[in-house]
Amino acid sequence: MAKKQFKAESKRLMDLMINSIYTHKEIFLRELISNASDAEDKLAYKSLTDDSVDVKRKDLKITIVPDKEMRTLTVSDNGVGMTKEELESNLGTIAHSGSRQFKQDLQEGDKAADKVDVIGQFGVGFYSAFMVSDSVTVISRAWGSDEAWMWQSSGVDGYTLTSCEKEAPGTDVIMHLKADADGEDYGKYLETYKLQELIKKYSDYIRYPIVMEVEDYRQKEKPADAGDDYKPEWETVKEWKTINSMVPLWQRQKSKVKPEEYNAFYKEKFSDWQDPLAVIHTSAEGAVTYKAMLYIPSQTPYDFYTREYEKGLQLYSSGVLIMDKCADLLPDHFRFVRGVVDSADFSLNISREVLQHTRQLKTIAANLEKKIKSELLKMQKDDREKYEKFWKAFGTQIKYGVVSEYGQHKELLKDLLLFWSSKENANTTLAAYKDRMPEDQPYYYYACGESVEKIAKLPQVERILDKGYEILYCTEDVDDFVMRALEELDGKKVKSVNDEDALPQSDEEKKQAEEKAEAAKGVLEAVKEALGDQVHAVRTSSILKSAACCLTADGPVSLEMEKYMRRVDGDRGMKAQRVLELNPDSAPYAAVKKALDAGGKDTVAKYARLLYGQALLLADLPLEDPAGFAQLVCSLMV
């Protein structure tokens, strides 16, 4: 029979189908199985609407047969099959989708089209077979017909269509695989283990059994006359086995899924050896219909805080894996969540490898974000021990979420935050802190440092604790950024204990402070002259009680920010405008004044360097000259 040419811009479009549309060659098996599933769906629908079609859904299946000797791979279904005209139309015209046409016909006929979930949309999936094959043969017999037809093609040169014999209705797609060359191993698609791997990866939830003949090892039956010294013998046998799971866990009712089933699915799919902390099994119907099953892990992945870590949820469309990690379904602050989302409403590109950015995608992502937050708040309230475990693993990520995008997500995330409480000696939420707050407390207070123990000894915290006010102890690099991003909570500002106005002063207190500052003017100028550019300013302190000095900062860059940037960028990082604050009521201050009044300029300089070094140590900042500081201490002891 004469070879026919394809009808859709022939060679150029066919070459595009084979070489450009699909990123991964292994996708071909997913596409052919999806087409076979569509054929089964069409026959199942016919059986419901046509009394002459006597077929039971349980008898429908998809069969995979590799033949290493012939170098062929066959994908067969016992679905609706195709007539000669349908073969010509569906396979002879590139980008003509029989599945799409089938659904359109249902809609025009005013039938329950929405209940028929066929996968094919674009009519190009079949041609992915040519990525791995040098020739493809399709043998098909339509249901209700005695005729069978064979479609054959070697690619862009066209195809032939001839009459043939086929015992039962359905379709066989027979691929003759390309020779291995140029580093391409096409022969691996004839290996049973590889085929099983691809079926489990992409088509595990196709609703019909996908069967293959696989090898298994069995113990031979013990002979009747075997003695006590008989050693068991094993043999290799071949048997037909269903490879796919068919019904995904997320399609089942929550009440009928056991916790151990959720946990087993999570461990298998996401390669974790520990059970998750929580499972979110949810669904929605309406403008956007989807089902989702999300997991909150119990531990931080080893690469979580590296650039190599990829966030995202597994994306399925009608049970077929489309993307292994769809990043757009998760915000960065919840990037630790693992799970799956399944929807027939996603708009996919022609290869079904890339998700288009659509309203449906944004809607689902927003819904999932709310569900994740709700689950975390529930855990925080009902199982604090479990939430503390979550916080230890992923609390830093929540904090990064607060400060990212200029604090855009702080309202969403603030209820999830935990900080160490000076009053409770345990982690507390901001809401619990608020409930304990005395009526006269003007601000939410926080203090930053390397550890809780070190923060508790900071001279700046003394006066605030004496007032009976609670302080949130912040021990992570990001904490100061978080507090500044929060800025204000429930009408009250968030204040660092280092802030000059951390404790509001009465008019009388302000007057006294001004008088002390004026009286100390000479001492402050002398100390500033001795320290030079090491400090931005020297002033009397309104936040110290018994301690002699402390270090604070003017301007937008805090000392904590400077420490963080020093760790990130070394000496190139941002520098704070350092302020040395002196307590005019302390004995060391009196010693400086006495030396100044006695004209001991060198002694004043030594005292200034000593106080500045002490302030640096208290602030967890490095001494610029440790050896010189040690000599200074020794010289003052003599």
Side-chain angles (χ1 to χ4, degrees):
M1 178 175 283
K3 183 171 290 188
K4 300 184 179 184
Q5 292 297 314
F6 293 106
K7 295 180 182 179
E9 209 180 2
S10 192
K11 293 184 179 181
R12 184 178 177 186
L13 188 53
M14 183 65 162
D15 182 67
L16 180 67
M17 297 300 110
I18 298 171
N19 298 313
S20 301
I21 286 183
Y22 294 96
T23 307
H24 306 291
K25 288 183 169 64
E26 65 185 28
I27 293 293
F28 84 94
L29 188 60
R30 180 195 74 179
E31 294 297 304
L32 295 182
I33 289 175
S34 296
N35 288 346
S37 176
D38 285 348
E40 310 281 20
D41 279 333
K42 294 171 189 175
L43 183 58
Y45 181 79
K46 279 181 176 288
S47 71
L48 298 175
T49 57
D50 187 342
D51 293 338
S52 66
V53 179
D54 182 20
V55 65
K56 296 179 180 178
R57 179 178 283 271
K58 66 181 181 66
D59 296 326
L60 300 175
K61 64 181 178 180
I62 300 166
T63 306
I64 311 293
V65 180
D67 188 328
K68 291 184 180 180
E69 185 176 343
M70 300 299 294
R71 202 173 174 80
T72 61
L73 177 64
T74 302
V75 178
S76 301
D77 67 72
N78 56 347
V80 72
M82 288 179 280
T83 63
K84 177 184 178 182
E85 291 74 19
E86 288 169 333
L87 275 169
E88 184 106 42
S89 176
N90 295 340
L91 304 188
T93 304
I94 300 173
H96 175 86
S97 171
S99 295
R100 182 178 57 192
Q101 186 65 48
F102 173 72
K103 195 158 188 177
Q104 287 176 351
D105 291 344
L106 291 182
Q107 291 171 334
E108 291 170 5
D110 194 27
K111 296 177 181 178
D114 291 337
K115 296 182 180 179
V116 181
D117 187 15
V118 291
I119 301 168
Q121 299 180 64
F122 301 103
V124 300
F126 165 76
Y127 301 98
S128 64
F130 287 101
M131 292 193 296
V132 298
S133 312
D134 50 32
S135 67
V136 179
T137 299
V138 179
I139 299 173
S140 190
R141 174 182 158 188
W143 185 272
S145 172
D146 294 330
E147 291 184 317
W149 293 88
M150 180 168 61
W151 181 98
Q152 291 180 296
S153 176
S154 297
V156 295
D157 291 335
Y159 64 94
T160 60
L161 191 59
T162 57
S163 178
C164 67
E165 296 293 326
K166 191 174 188 309
E167 185 177 341
T171 301
D172 302 331
V173 179
I174 307 163
M175 293 161 280
H176 187 273
L177 299 189
K178 295 177 181 179
D180 298 336
D182 300 325
E184 291 287 357
D185 179 14
Y186 296 103
K188 66 185 177 184
Y189 299 121
L190 297 173
E191 299 291 344
T192 302
Y193 79 89
K194 184 63 177 179
L195 294 170
Q196 288 179 293
E197 174 190 314
L198 295 180
I199 292 168
K200 293 294 289 184
K201 180 177 181 180
Y202 291 107
S203 307
D204 198 31
Y205 306 116
I206 289 290
R207 61 174 59 90
Y208 303 101
I210 303 173
V211 299
M212 282 181 63
E213 191 176 33
V214 298
E215 289 187 346
D216 196 6
Y217 295 95
R218 288 183 182 174
Q219 187 174 323
K220 290 183 178 180
E221 187 175 346
K222 183 179 179 180
D225 57 350
D228 294 337
D229 58 347
Y230 171 76
K231 294 182 179 179
E233 295 183 7
W234 294 80
E235 60 181 347
T236 301
V237 295
K238 288 189 174 183
E239 60 181 358
W240 287 95
K241 180 181 177 182
T242 298
I243 308 301
N244 58 322
S245 305
M246 290 183 280
V247 180
L249 207 60
W250 60 84
Q251 294 286 3
R252 292 164 54 185
Q253 292 182 16
K254 288 175 12 179
S255 60
K256 296 183 178 179
V257 182
K258 299 177 181 178
E260 52 266 31
E261 291 180 289
Y262 281 127
N263 294 344
F265 179 92
Y266 168 75
K267 290 176 179 177
E268 178 187 352
K269 285 291 182 182
F270 304 109
S271 303
D272 197 346
W273 58 274
Q274 288 192 354
D275 290 339
L277 288 176
V279 184
I280 304 169
H281 191 166
T282 184
S283 63
E285 294 183 359
V288 181
T289 300
Y290 67 90
K291 293 182 184 295
M293 194 164 67
L294 311 180
Y295 291 91
I296 297 172
S298 60
Q299 60 181 350
T300 313
Y302 72 93
D303 61 345
F304 185 70
Y305 290 109
T306 69
R307 292 181 180 179
E308 286 69 35
Y309 181 82
E310 294 180 79
K311 72 169 183 175
L313 302 175
Q314 287 190 343
L315 174 65
Y316 288 80
S317 181
S318 302
V320 177
L321 179 66
I322 303 301
M323 295 178 68
D324 190 46
K325 290 180 179 175
C326 180
D328 294 314
L329 284 171
L330 278 180
D332 276 350
H333 42 269
F334 291 150
R335 65 201 293 262
F336 49 82
V337 174
R338 313 299 297 272
V340 301
V341 176
D342 191 349
S343 175
D345 290 346
F346 287 126
S347 297
L348 308 175
N349 75 339
I350 195 170
S351 69
R352 293 194 289 170
E353 291 181 287
V354 179
L355 189 68
Q356 306 297 325
H357 292 264
T358 64
R359 177 184 60 80
Q360 291 94 334
L361 176 64
K362 291 180 180 178
T363 299
I364 294 174
N367 289 347
L368 295 181
E369 183 181 47
K370 292 176 184 175
K371 287 286 185 183
I372 295 167
K373 179 186 175 181
S374 177
E375 180 64 30
L376 289 173
L377 286 177
K378 181 175 179 292
M379 188 192 301
Q380 184 191 95
K381 178 183 177 182
D382 299 339
D383 194 337
R384 188 55 177 264
E385 183 178 348
K386 185 180 287 188
Y387 190 78
E388 292 275 356
K389 188 174 182 180
F390 158 77
W391 187 254
K392 183 178 180 181
F394 302 109
T396 303
Q397 184 61 38
I398 300 297
K399 291 177 181 178
Y400 283 143
V402 171
V403 301
S404 68
E405 300 183 66
Y406 304 100
Q408 181 179 335
H409 309 289
K410 64 181 181 181
E411 290 301 318
L412 174 83
L413 300 174
K414 66 181 183 180
D415 295 334
L416 300 176
L417 294 170
L418 292 184
F419 295 100
W420 192 265
S421 162
S422 64
K423 183 167 288 187
E424 298 294 305
N425 284 319
N427 278 326
T428 185
T429 63
L430 294 173
Y433 179 101
K434 177 191 173 185
D435 291 340
R436 292 190 297 268
M437 191 183 294
E439 288 186 11
D440 67 333
Q441 183 172 329
Y443 306 122
Y444 285 79
Y445 288 109
Y446 74 95
C448 296
E450 185 178 306
S451 66
V452 168
E453 292 75 21
K454 287 187 176 182
I455 296 173
K457 295 176 183 178
L458 287 175
Q460 298 95 309
V461 309
E462 183 182 13
R463 189 181 293 272
I464 293 172
L465 291 178
D466 282 353
K467 285 275 189 180
Y469 299 156
E470 184 174 352
I471 302 175
L472 299 173
Y473 291 170
C474 302
T475 57
E476 288 195 270
D477 291 340
V478 71
D479 285 343
D480 192 52
F481 295 90
V482 171
M483 292 304 191
R484 289 172 182 268
L486 291 173
E487 191 176 13
E488 188 174 292
L489 296 167
D490 306 308
K492 290 190 176 184
K493 290 184 178 180
V494 179
K495 280 281 183 183
S496 168
V497 297
N498 290 329
D499 289 350
E500 189 176 6
D501 60 347
L503 284 174
Q505 294 177 318
S506 65
D507 291 341
E508 181 62 28
E509 288 172 329
K510 287 180 181 178
K511 183 180 178 181
Q512 291 177 1
E514 289 171 0
E515 291 174 352
K516 288 181 179 179
E518 182 64 28
K521 193 171 181 180
V523 173
L524 301 180
E525 290 175 352
V527 173
K528 175 66 174 77
E529 182 182 354
L531 296 176
D533 293 337
Q534 292 181 85
V535 293
H536 171 70
V538 180
R539 61 172 171 247
T540 56
S541 179
S542 60
I543 60 175
L544 294 175
K545 185 176 181 181
S546 61
C549 63
C550 69
L551 203 63
T552 59
D554 281 346
V557 181
S558 69
L559 296 175
E560 295 307 312
M561 290 179 180
E562 177 182 327
K563 285 187 276 186
Y564 173 76
M565 297 309 298
R566 184 187 294 272
R567 282 190 281 271
V568 173
D569 291 332
D571 291 335
R572 297 173 300 171
M574 295 186 299
K575 298 290 193 300
Q577 294 181 348
R578 298 180 179 181
V579 176
L580 177 62
E581 297 198 10
L582 302 179
N583 183 353
D585 298 323
S586 66
Y589 173 86
V592 176
K593 188 176 186 310
K594 181 178 179 182
L596 182 65
D597 292 342
K601 189 175 181 180
D602 290 342
T603 303
V604 170
K606 286 183 178 182
Y607 286 163
R609 295 199 304 273
L610 182 68
L611 289 169
Y612 180 57
Q614 179 182 331
L616 285 172
L617 291 172
L618 287 168
D620 268 333
L621 287 167
L623 293 168
E624 296 175 10
D625 182 9
F629 184 77
Q631 290 174 0
L632 173 64
V633 173
C634 291
S635 70
L636 292 171
M637 293 174 66
V638 176

